[in-house]
Amino acid sequence: MEWINTLLSILQPNILIYLIVGVAVGAIIGALPGLSATMGIAILTPLTFWFTPEQGFAMLLGLWNSAIWAGSISAILINTPGTPASIATTFDGYNMYKRGQGGLALGINVVYSVIGGLFSTIVLIFASFPLAKLAIKFGPPEYFALALFGLSMMISVSGNSILKGLMVGFAGLLVSTIGIDPLLAMPRFTLGNGNLLDGISFIPVMIGMFGLGEVLYQIYHNSKIKEDEERQKVKNLKLGRVLINAKEFIRLLPSTIMSCITSVIIGAIPACGGDIASIICWGQAKRMSKKPEEFERGSIEGLASSCTANNGVIGGVMTTMLTLGIPGDAVSAVLIGSLMMYGMQPGPRLFIENKPFIMNIMCLMIMANIVILILGLVTTKLTAKVLAVKKEIVWASVILLCIIGSFALNNSLFDVIIMIISGVLGFFFKKMDFAPGPFILGLLLGNMVESNLRRSLIMSQGSISIFFTKPITLVLLIFIMLSLIMPIIKKRKQKEVSVS
Amino acid sequence: MLNGDVIFGLASIVFSLLFILSSLGFENRTTDGSPGAGFFPILIGSILLIMGVAFAVSGFKTKKHYFEMNEEVKKNLKIFFLTIAAIIGYLMIWKWISFVVATFAFLIGLNYIYKQSLKFNLIFSSVASLLVYVIFEKIFHVLFIL
C-alpha cells in the first residue's frame, strides 16, 4: 500500500516533467561521444538546487538512466561509445548497422536497457532495506574500512598503473583535509582565506574535471578529418525495422536473465561500473550461445546482453550508494554530493530518517525506465540525428554551463576559480593517463576516512588492533589488499606470457 | 631528463611536503592522547611523498613523453589557450558590465575562436545568453553579480 501511494505521488505533473526533461537531456548527452553521464549530472546538479529533492532527483535519475542507454546509439551508428559503459555495444552493434539492421540494433538497445534497468531497480527495492538494517550496526572501524575499500576498488580498476591511481587517490584525500578539522573544529590549510573554511567544494571540482577538462581534452585532440568521416558514416546507411519479433525475444531470454543478475552484482561492488559489467556479460553470453561465431559480427545476443548489463548495474550501484554511503562509480559519487546538497547523508540512517524519500527514488527509477522505453522507441531514428550536432556547439555550451553552474551553487566566484583549476587539472590527468575517479573519491570520502579512523583510534585508545579484531573490518581490509595486489600480479603474469 | 612522469612525481613531492610542513604546526595528539588535527594530513602526505619519489625515479627510467607535437596539435593548442583566455576574460568583464552582455560577448568570442560563421555566431550567442538569463536569473533567481 505504501509503495502504491509513493508511486501515485510520483505520477504528478510537477515531478514527471522533470523526469522527462532529465531523460531527454540524458539522451542527448549519452548519444554524443565525449559527453558522459557523469559530466551531465555534474553540470545539472547545481541547477537542481532550486527544486525539491523529488524534482531534482527525478531529473538526475532520468538523466543517468537515459545517458547510459543513449551511449549505445553512437556505439551502434559510428562505432564510438557515447559513454564508457557502451564499449561492449560496439562489438556487435556497429556490425548490425553496417548490414542494414541499424534500426533493430537501436530497438534492442532501448528494450534491453530498460529490462536491465527495471530488474536492477527491483533488486534495489528488495535488497536495500535489509542491507541498511545490517549497516546500521556499523561503527567507526567498519565505516573507515568501507570508505577505504571504495577508494581502493576505484584505484585498482582505473587506468593502467596502480601507482598513478594511488597517487591521485591520496592527493584527493589530502585536498579533503583543507577546511575545518572534523573532530576538533579548527581551521586547517585555509591560508587565512574565508572561502577555504568550508573546504574545497566537491561539485565545482567534479564539474571542472568531467566538464571543462573533457572539453579542453577534445579541443587539444580535435581532428577535422575524423569528424567528417564520422558524419559521413551516419548519413550513408539505412536503419530498417526497430522491434524484435517473438522468436528473437525467446532466443535472447537466457542471456538476458544472466546479464541482469550478473550486472546487478557487479554494480553493487564499488568501482565496478557499467563498462566492466557489459564486457563480462557479453563474454558470458558468447559462452552460453548456440551461435558464438556470430559474436563480433553482429550478434543480437551479444548486443542484447551488453545493453542489459549497461543499465543493469545502476540498481546495484544505487544499493551500495544509498545503504552504505559508498559511491560505486563517478556518477553515484556526484549523486552523493546532490543528496548532501539537500541536507541528506547517504547511509543506513537515511532509511530511517528519510524513508519516504528513499521510496520516491526507487519509484523514480522505475518511471525513468518506462519513460526511456516510450521515448526511446518513438524517437529511435530521430536520435541518430543528434550525432550531427557540431562539436564546437557542444564545447561552447558545456563551457558556459560549467561556469554558470559552478557559480550558481553558492553565488561564489571562488567556486568558478576552483572549477577552472580542476578543469585544467582534469585535462592533464586525462592526457597523462591518470584517472580522475580516485581523486574525486578521495575528496569525497576523505572526511569519512579521517573522522572514522580517528574515532576508531580514540575508541581503542590508540591501538590499531581494533581494525583487526572486528570481523567486517578485517574482511574489508583483506579485500583492500587483494584489490591492490591482484592487478599487479595479473600484470606481471601478462608480461611473462608476452615475453615467453 | 625531465619528462611527464618526473615532473608529476616532483609536483607530488612538493605538494605533499607543503601539507606535511604546514601540519607540523598543528597538534598531532590532543591532551588525552587521541589523534589531533595534524595526524591525518601528515600520514597521507608522507605516503604520497614516498609514492612521488618512486614515481619520479620510475619516470627517469621509462622516459615517457605525453605531449607529442604535430601540425594538427599546434593548431589545436592555439585554440586551447585562446579558450582559457576567453574564460578568464569573461570572468574579468563580468565584474564591470551586466551578466547578459558579458555572456553574449563571451559566446561571440568563443564561436569566433572556433571559426563559426558570423550568422550562426550571432544567433547562437543571442539565444544562449537570453536562455541563461531567463532560466537562471528570472526562474532560479540567481544573482549574477560579482
Side-chain angles (χ1 to χ4, degrees):
Chain A
M1 194 63 193
E2 229 180 336
W3 285 102
I4 294 170
N5 288 338
T6 308
L7 198 59
L8 288 171
S9 72
I10 293 297
L11 292 172
Q12 303 297 320
N14 65 334
I15 294 177
L16 271 183
I17 192 82
Y18 291 97
L19 184 67
I20 293 168
V21 167
V23 168
V25 171
I28 295 168
I29 286 174
L32 289 169
L35 298 187
S36 62
T38 315
M39 182 204 255
I41 289 192
I43 292 171
L44 235 60
T45 292
L47 304 190
T48 62
F49 185 66
W50 288 270
F51 307 158
T52 63
E54 290 77 16
Q55 290 167 339
F57 265 77
M59 189 180 270
L60 296 177
L61 290 174
L63 190 156
W64 184 11
N65 283 274
S66 174
I68 300 297
W69 147 63
S72 296
I73 293 171
S74 56
I76 290 165
L77 297 177
I78 56 170
N79 203 27
T80 306
T83 56
S86 314
I87 289 168
T89 310
T90 59
F91 299 167
D92 288 294
Y94 185 57
N95 284 316
M96 283 183 70
Y97 176 53
K98 282 198 293 185
R99 61 170 195 241
Q101 288 181 311
L104 180 61
L106 292 172
I108 287 174
N109 178 31
V110 177
V111 171
Y112 285 86
S113 296
V114 167
I115 289 173
L118 284 173
F119 180 86
S120 71
T121 305
I122 291 166
V123 169
L124 169 67
I125 290 169
F126 285 104
S128 55
F129 288 94
L131 196 55
K133 276 190 186 146
L134 174 68
I136 207 126
K137 295 173 190 161
F138 283 11
E142 284 84 4
Y143 276 113
F144 165 70
L146 203 55
L148 220 52
F149 177 60
L151 193 55
S152 70
M153 287 300 290
M154 178 69 81
I155 287 167
S156 66
V157 301
S158 60
N160 292 322
S161 167
I162 296 286
L163 182 58
K164 280 182 173 177
L166 278 169
M167 287 177 71
V168 164
F170 274 74
L173 285 175
L174 212 47
V175 171
S176 77
T177 60
I178 296 173
I180 301 282
D181 180 286
L183 266 58
L184 299 173
M186 57 168 278
R188 290 187 300 191
F189 316 115
T190 56
L191 305 171
N193 187 335
N195 289 307
L196 288 172
L197 279 174
D198 286 331
I200 299 292
S201 185
F202 160 74
I203 292 176
V205 173
M206 289 269 345
I207 294 172
M209 281 204 173
F210 289 104
L212 181 62
E214 178 59 41
V215 167
L216 290 176
Y217 183 81
Q218 286 184 23
I219 290 172
Y220 186 87
H221 281 282
N222 187 32
S223 169
K224 197 81 182 72
I225 300 161
K226 203 174 163 194
E227 194 186 341
D228 289 341
E229 277 173 6
E230 283 176 5
R231 228 179 273 284
Q232 212 45 42
K233 280 180 199 172
V234 182
K235 276 186 187 168
N236 288 344
L237 300 173
K238 286 195 178 155
L239 291 176
R241 70 176 166 111
V242 170
L243 289 174
I244 55 168
N245 54 41
K247 199 176 162 189
E248 285 164 338
F249 184 80
I250 291 166
R251 185 184 145 199
L252 295 175
L253 215 46
S255 58
T256 305
I257 293 169
M258 177 278 302
S259 295
C260 283
I261 296 168
T262 309
S263 57
V264 169
I265 294 169
I266 292 173
I269 302 169
C272 292
D275 44 352
I276 296 170
S278 60
I279 291 169
I280 290 173
C281 291
W282 182 88
Q284 276 296 107
K286 188 177 178 182
R287 278 187 283 276
M288 282 169 61
S289 174
K290 289 176 184 162
K291 296 182 186 178
E293 68 283 355
E294 283 183 8
F295 280 68
E296 288 183 278
R297 288 194 175 87
S299 162
I300 59 169
E301 272 178 282
L303 181 64
S305 59
S306 60
C307 293
T308 307
N310 281 350
N311 283 66
V313 293
I314 295 177
V317 169
M318 291 283 286
T319 305
T320 313
M321 180 196 110
L322 290 173
T323 57
L324 303 174
I326 301 292
D329 58 8
V331 175
S332 49
V334 188
L335 282 178
I336 286 180
S338 307
L339 271 173
M340 286 171 166
M341 205 171 66
Y342 290 121
M344 292 184 241
Q345 182 71 35
R349 290 250 154 250
L350 192 64
F351 284 73
I352 298 168
E353 290 159 12
N354 288 288
K355 189 179 171 188
F357 179 68
I358 293 291
M359 292 171 70
N360 277 338
I361 284 181
M362 294 171 186
C363 291
L364 281 169
M365 288 278 291
I366 293 174
M367 285 311 304
N369 280 285
I370 293 170
V371 170
I372 287 169
L373 182 67
I374 298 166
L375 197 74
L377 287 176
V378 164
T379 61
T380 299
K381 296 188 182 183
L382 268 177
T383 43
K385 300 223 184 285
V386 170
L387 293 169
V389 171
K390 285 164 96 175
K391 265 188 204 166
E392 290 82 4
I393 300 174
V394 173
W395 293 345
S397 307
V398 169
I399 292 172
L400 182 64
L401 282 173
C402 285
I403 296 170
I404 304 292
S406 46
F407 180 83
L409 273 171
N410 293 307
N411 269 42
S412 163
L413 180 63
F414 188 74
D415 283 341
V416 180
I417 295 169
I418 294 291
M419 187 278 295
I420 294 169
I421 295 170
S422 305
V424 174
L425 201 61
F427 164 75
F428 281 108
F429 276 177
K430 194 155 179 171
K431 195 73 193 88
M432 294 169 69
D433 297 331
F434 284 89
F439 183 86
I440 301 295
L441 264 198
L443 187 58
L444 190 65
L445 295 176
N447 205 297
M448 187 175 171
V449 171
E450 180 183 5
S451 52
N452 285 295
L453 170 65
R454 286 164 67 184
R455 282 196 190 103
S456 304
L457 290 173
I458 291 168
M459 279 165 62
S460 65
Q461 291 169 338
S463 168
I464 60 166
S465 61
I466 192 170
F467 300 112
F468 304 108
T469 50
K470 299 236 167 202
I472 294 172
T473 314
L474 184 60
V475 165
L476 284 169
L477 288 175
I478 292 170
F479 281 154
I480 290 165
M481 294 308 299
L482 284 173
S483 71
L484 293 174
I485 293 168
M486 290 305 291
I488 299 172
I489 296 173
K490 202 175 163 186
K491 217 177 173 183
R492 286 229 168 110
K493 279 197 172 153
Q494 279 171 350
K495 261 189 193 164
E496 281 165 17
V497 164
S498 60
V499 163
S500 64
Chain B
M1 194 171 94
L2 281 183
N3 57 49
D5 285 354
V6 173
I7 293 171
F8 194 86
L10 291 173
S12 302
I13 291 167
V14 169
F15 182 71
S16 46
L17 276 173
L18 279 171
F19 274 83
I20 292 170
L21 293 172
S22 304
S23 301
L24 292 174
F26 305 143
E27 287 175 18
N28 293 326
R29 281 201 168 278
T30 55
T31 48
D32 61 357
S34 47
F39 169 74
F40 192 72
I42 290 177
L43 173 68
I44 300 298
S46 306
I47 297 171
L48 185 59
L49 178 66
I50 295 167
M51 287 194 287
V53 169
F55 195 67
V57 167
S58 81
F60 274 119
K61 289 180 188 168
T62 55
K63 295 182 177 45
K64 194 170 179 182
H65 293 277
Y66 296 98
F67 293 88
E68 303 293 345
M69 284 292 156
N70 55 40
E71 282 311 311
E72 203 168 51
V73 169
K74 279 180 189 164
K75 275 186 208 163
N76 292 340
L77 256 186
K78 189 178 162 193
I79 298 174
F80 180 95
F81 285 117
L82 282 172
T83 300
I84 294 178
I87 294 170
I88 295 168
Y90 176 41
L91 296 182
M92 286 167 71
I93 63 170
W94 182 352
K95 202 170 181 178
W96 305 108
I97 59 178
S98 101
F99 165 71
V100 180
V101 175
T103 305
F104 179 76
F106 172 62
L107 289 172
I108 290 276
L110 264 191
N111 282 307
Y112 177 76
I113 293 167
Y114 301 152
K115 296 184 174 58
Q116 301 303 294
S117 68
L118 181 62
K119 185 180 169 188
F120 171 84
N121 193 351
L122 286 169
I123 296 170
F124 177 85
S125 304
S126 314
V127 170
S129 309
L130 199 61
L131 265 175
V132 165
Y133 170 72
V134 167
I135 292 171
F136 284 90
E137 279 207 29
K138 291 298 171 191
I139 298 175
F140 294 154
H141 303 291
V142 178
L143 284 174
F144 286 108
I145 299 167
L146 291 184

